[in-house]
C-alpha cells in the first residue's frame, strides 16, 4: 500500500534532463511542486532542479514507489536487470519508452506497470 502523503513517496526519474523544455524535467518540477521525494537519474549530470542526480539505478536509495521512464527501449534494454533489482512499486512507461522485453520481466517479477504520461497523471490527480 502506497503512502497517502506525497512527501513519503519516492519517485525516480530515469532519463532525467536539466533542460527545462524536456518532459522529464517538467515531470521533476511538477513532482516537486506536488511534494514528492524525487531522485533524477542521469549518468553525466550532477544536479537537476537543485536535486542531486544519481548516476545510475544502482545508486538510487530504496524503497522506490514509482520509477518513471524517459528513455527509449534501446537505451532501456541494458538497464532491465537494474530496473528489476530496484523493485519499484510500479513503473510508468511514458510515451515512446514502451518495451515489451521490460514488460515481460516486470510481470515475471510481480512489479506493477502502466503505459501513461506522468505529467498527465499528476495534472489530473491520479498519479
Amino acid at each position: 500500500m502506497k503512502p497517502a502523503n506525497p512527501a513519503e513517496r519516492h519517485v525516480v526519474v530515469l532519463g532525467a534532463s536539466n533542460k527545462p523544455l524536456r518532459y522529464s524535467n517538467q515531470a521533476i518540477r511538477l513532482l516537486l511542486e506536488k511534494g514528492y521525494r524525487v531522485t533524477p537519474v542521469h549518468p553525466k549530470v550532477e544536479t537537476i532542479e537543485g536535486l542531486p542526480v544519481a548516476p545510475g539505478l544502482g545508486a538510487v536509495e530504496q524503497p522506490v514507489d514509482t520509477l518513471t521512464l524517459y528513455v527509449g527501449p534501446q537505451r532501456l534494454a541494458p538497464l532491465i536487470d537494474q530496473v528489476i533489482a530496484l523493485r519499484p512499486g510500479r513503473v510508468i512507461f511514458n510515451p515512446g519508452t514502451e518495451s515489451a522485453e521490460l514488460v515481460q520481466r516486470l510481470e515475471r517479477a510481480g512489479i506493477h506497470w502502466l503505459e501513461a504520461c506522468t505529467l498527465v497523471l499528476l495534472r489530473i490527480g491520479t498519479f
Side-chain angles (χ1 to χ4, degrees), residues 11-22:
V11 181
V12 174
V13 180
L14 180 62
S17 174
N18 57 0
K19 298 175 182 167
L21 295 179
R22 295 278 172 100

Side-chain angles (χ1 to χ4, degrees), residues 49-68:
E49 297 301 321
L51 298 170
V53 176
L57 291 173
V60 171
E61 181 184 317
Q62 293 185 351
V64 173
D65 294 288
T66 300
L67 171 63
T68 183

Side-chain angles (χ1 to χ4, degrees), residues 54-100:
L57 291 173
V60 171
E61 181 184 317
Q62 293 185 351
V64 173
D65 294 288
T66 300
L67 171 63
T68 183
L69 305 175
Y70 287 94
V71 294
Q74 299 82 7
R75 284 189 153 161
L76 197 52
L79 304 176
I80 289 176
D81 287 339
Q82 294 174 46
V83 169
I84 301 302
L86 190 64
R87 303 284 318 157
R90 69 175 173 172
V91 174
I92 298 175
F93 289 89
N94 287 281
T97 67
E98 299 86 355
S99 163

Side-chain angles (χ1 to χ4, degrees), residues 1-120:
M1 183 171 184
K2 46 188 167 175
N5 180 357
E8 296 173 9
R9 293 179 60 194
H10 185 197
V11 181
V12 174
V13 180
L14 180 62
S17 174
N18 57 0
K19 298 175 182 167
L21 295 179
R22 295 278 172 100
Y23 291 126
S24 63
N25 184 279
Q26 292 175 38
I28 290 168
R29 286 183 281 139
L30 193 52
L31 285 160
L32 290 171
E33 182 182 309
K34 298 210 177 266
Y36 290 90
R37 188 163 64 95
V38 180
T39 300
V41 177
H42 189 287
K44 296 178 184 161
V45 178
E46 291 185 15
T47 60
I48 295 176
E49 297 301 321
L51 298 170
V53 176
L57 291 173
V60 171
E61 181 184 317
Q62 293 185 351
V64 173
D65 294 288
T66 300
L67 171 63
T68 183
L69 305 175
Y70 287 94
V71 294
Q74 299 82 7
R75 284 189 153 161
L76 197 52
L79 304 176
I80 289 176
D81 287 339
Q82 294 174 46
V83 169
I84 301 302
L86 190 64
R87 303 284 318 157
R90 69 175 173 172
V91 174
I92 298 175
F93 289 89
N94 287 281
T97 67
E98 299 86 355
S99 163
E101 183 183 359
L102 179 53
V103 164
Q104 262 186 350
R105 293 283 305 277
L106 291 170
E107 288 180 348
R108 280 200 308 246
I111 299 171
H112 177 69
W113 63 272
L114 65 152
E115 290 181 5
C117 176
T118 296
L119 289 167
V120 170

